[in-house]
Amino acid sequence: EVRLVESGGGLVQAGGSLRLSCAASGLNFDEATIGWFRQAPGKEREGVSCIEIRDDSTSYADSVKGRFTISSDKSRNTVYLQMNSLKLEDTAVYSCAASEDPSLGLGPSRKYIYWGQGTQVTVAS
């Protein structure tokens, strides 16, 4: 059984930082693509970033480039999303997702098969 467990969300002031973690199990981690998606109330789900574990290739949405950094720790089967310079508009439920396609890129969410439960990130003024 594949499980993705997110952690690290919370309340932070604008300009602050948070680091999200996504711990994966039951998955061939080294051959996966792991993505972070977010959904704010009343808005569609948005792809934020992804990492292709095999070669650590990364992709970012324009809205987070230069502020967010995705990384992986293969020894822990964990992907991190370091979020800096947070803005009010970053407020959302953040979910990690996994695909067994090793080179999926930040494709549409429907191509990610496995999903975590999500973690709330709230940025306050």
Side-chain angles (χ1 to χ4, degrees):
E1 178 190 5
V2 175
R3 290 192 67 205
L4 302 174
V5 180
E6 301 102 333
S7 60
L11 174 65
V12 64
Q13 295 231 325
S17 298
L18 281 174
R19 188 178 78 157
L20 305 183
S21 300
C22 173
S25 60
L27 180 71
N28 186 356
F29 188 78
D30 290 352
E31 293 294 319
T33 298
I34 307 293
W36 283 99
F37 294 81
R38 66 185 181 186
Q39 189 164 21
K43 294 190 176 181
E44 292 189 358
R45 180 183 285 163
E46 174 191 19
V48 174
S49 181
C50 77
I51 185 166
E52 297 168 5
I53 302 298
R54 186 165 57 183
D55 60 4
D56 282 336
S57 295
T58 59
S59 299
Y60 297 92
D62 288 343
S63 58
V64 306
K65 277 181 183 175
R67 300 189 297 123
F68 291 11
T69 303
I70 193 169
S71 61
S72 71
D73 183 340
K74 295 176 181 63
S75 68
R76 297 176 183 270
N77 282 14
T78 299
V79 168
Y80 302 99
L81 185 67
Q82 178 67 43
M83 305 186 296
N84 298 330
S85 302
L86 282 162
K87 304 176 180 179
L88 298 179
E89 53 263 41
D90 293 320
T91 295
V93 174
Y94 284 70
S95 300
C96 69
S99 168
E100 294 172 328
D101 183 339
S103 56
L104 178 60
L106 194 57
S109 59
R110 67 177 184 276
K111 293 196 174 184
Y112 285 82
I113 300 173
Y114 307 105
W115 290 81
Q117 80 285 358
T119 185
Q120 177 70 44
V121 171
T122 302
V123 183
S125 59

